[in-house]
Amino acid sequence: MVSARPAVQSLPAYRPGRNPADLAREIGVERAVKLASNEVAFPPLPAVVEAIAAAAGETHRYPDNGAVVLTGALARRYGVDPAQVVTGCGAVMLCQQVAQSFTDPGTAMAFAWRSFEMYPLLARVAGARAVQVPLVPGRPGGSADTHDLGALAAAVDDDTRVVFVCNPNNPTGTAVRRAPLERFLDAVPADTLVVLDEAYREFVTDPDVPDGLELMRGRPNVAVLRTFSKAWGLAGLRVGYLVAEDPAVADAVRRTHVPFSVSTLAQAAAVAALASEEEVRRRVAAVTAERERLAAELRGRGLEVSDSQANFVWLPVGEQAADLAAALESRAVITRPFAGEGIRVTVGTPEEDDVFLDALDRVRPAATVG
């Protein structure tokens, strides 16, 4: 009998957000609202649709394996050399490439927990030890929702090859600020790679939350990871990118790239999105304004809500998470529960969020939240 590696056999399945059409059919309603996957509610940018249509005639050819046009556009945008930029099939694929490029069996990969759920899975697949450093309350008396950078730095030892800092953090939405992050970066040994995972960077409104690309400058062991899936609205096309201060780091990540994994359509769409930055900024401003309204509505209902810097809010409802999410689904609202910890709710349109709030009001007594 052929058997997979034990590390693979024991991997839990990744749980994507549920399809709203499936839920609507299941419970017999016309429409369900999905607030589970941190997608933006806006349709694709007009320039993106045009670019995809124009590129469709080339899909009988392989994509540009080096994504030269996209890489050049990103390099110009951030004032770096193209050799410092790596594109990939979504940010999560680049996380996997980092794990493959810098960890060996028996080495360690460190990160806060709870954070992006793929980190421990990728460590396990690479054979690395996953060092999970617990979150701490971001404010007195609050739930654990924020990176403990001091503890994370202390957890780095001679075996640690990679540290991920998810900023803003997924799923809690909190972000670490400039001074503590600079102290952390200065404390990490020069032979340990720090990846600042900034998938939600565009939604940051706190001026004291630094742009990781600024902190990367002059630090050869720092790289920044970003995506087109969130603010740029390309979740269905899968495009991410990594920018490294040291071109050798980028080269190592590039070597584990799956050939042709960023499609022709994805590359064309990402370039067109970058050229539509002003429209993206307007959309992001609408999302962050709605985020503040949604947070205020939830706080007004007596729920604890951290100051999110992402396009979602976190409800630390503990053991009630699974039951509350199930109750909301019975009202045709899909959220993302983390059993025993909380629920992540994507910021939707005002109408979608009102549907969520109404459903929450109806099911909350039954779920005994708060």
Side-chain angles (χ1 to χ4, degrees):
M1 175 186 287
V2 177
S3 297
R5 293 167 47 212
V8 173
Q9 291 180 347
S10 64
L11 282 177
Y14 177 75
R15 293 181 55 200
R18 190 173 184 189
N19 185 293
D22 291 343
L23 176 62
R25 283 193 297 269
E26 179 181 309
I27 64 176
V29 298
E30 183 177 338
R31 175 176 175 264
V33 172
K34 181 185 177 186
L35 301 175
S37 298
N38 302 340
E39 302 141 325
V40 292
F42 296 97
L45 295 157
V48 164
V49 175
E50 292 176 10
I52 290 172
E58 298 298 320
T59 53
H60 63 301
R61 305 290 186 187
Y62 283 111
D64 173 11
N65 193 50
V68 172
V69 175
L70 175 57
T71 298
L74 289 166
R76 289 189 297 274
R77 175 181 173 82
Y78 296 120
V80 298
D81 190 279
Q84 296 174 256
V85 180
V86 188
T87 60
C89 184
V92 67
M93 177 62 78
L94 287 161
C95 287
Q96 179 172 311
Q97 290 174 234
V98 166
Q100 292 173 328
S101 300
F102 293 97
T103 63
D104 286 309
T107 61
M109 192 165 78
F111 45 87
W113 196 252
R114 167 157 313 257
S115 191
F116 182 40
E117 62 192 297
M118 288 301 296
Y119 296 157
L121 306 186
L122 296 175
R124 192 182 303 180
V125 169
R129 178 166 49 95
V131 178
Q132 300 181 3
V133 177
L135 299 174
V136 294
R139 60 185 184 280
S143 300
D145 59 10
T146 302
H147 277 69
D148 184 344
L149 291 180
L152 187 57
V156 174
D157 60 21
D158 291 342
D159 294 328
T160 308
R161 296 291 178 267
V162 177
V163 180
F164 281 100
V165 178
C166 191
N167 199 40
N169 187 47
N170 178 15
T172 62
T174 58
V176 293
R177 290 167 173 77
R178 179 178 301 275
L181 186 52
E182 287 180 334
R183 287 195 298 270
F184 169 78
L185 294 177
D186 291 340
V188 174
D191 59 353
T192 298
L193 176 65
V194 178
V195 178
L196 301 178
D197 185 348
E198 296 188 334
Y200 300 93
R201 170 64 205 174
E202 290 85 356
F203 301 103
V204 171
T205 54
D206 184 341
D208 200 28
V209 175
D211 183 329
L213 288 161
E214 295 177 6
L215 299 190
M216 179 194 78
R217 314 282 181 176
R219 292 183 168 95
N221 67 326
V222 175
V224 176
L225 183 64
R226 292 188 181 172
T227 183
F228 283 93
S229 294
K230 309 304 181 186
W232 301 89
L234 301 186
L237 288 174
R238 313 302 302 127
V239 193
Y241 58 97
L242 178 140
V243 183
E245 175 69 353
D246 184 354
V249 169
D251 179 67
V253 175
R254 202 175 290 113
R255 288 172 184 269
T256 56
H257 169 76
V258 176
F260 309 118
S261 58
V262 184
S263 73
T264 298
L265 300 185
Q267 292 181 40
V271 172
L274 287 174
S276 303
E277 183 172 2
E278 287 306 312
E279 175 58 24
V280 172
R281 288 182 185 276
R282 285 191 289 270
R283 293 181 174 197
V284 166
V287 171
T288 57
E290 177 62 11
R291 177 185 73 197
E292 300 312 309
R293 184 187 79 91
L294 178 59
E297 290 281 355
L298 291 166
R299 289 173 183 141
R301 287 162 168 78
L303 290 165
E304 180 186 349
V305 181
S306 302
D307 290 330
S308 175
Q309 293 295 308
N311 69 330
F312 53 84
V313 296
W314 172 248
L315 303 181
V317 295
E319 294 300 326
Q320 297 298 322
D323 288 344
L324 179 57
L328 288 168
E329 283 199 10
S330 74
R331 294 279 177 176
V333 177
I334 304 168
T335 58
R336 179 66 170 88
F338 294 80
E341 298 178 67
I343 293 177
R344 190 188 67 197
V345 183
T346 303
V347 177
T349 65
E351 294 76 17
E352 289 173 333
D353 292 340
D354 284 343
V355 170
F356 159 67
L357 291 168
D358 180 68
L360 181 66
D361 290 340
R362 294 174 183 275
V363 306
R364 189 181 175 203
T368 63
V369 178

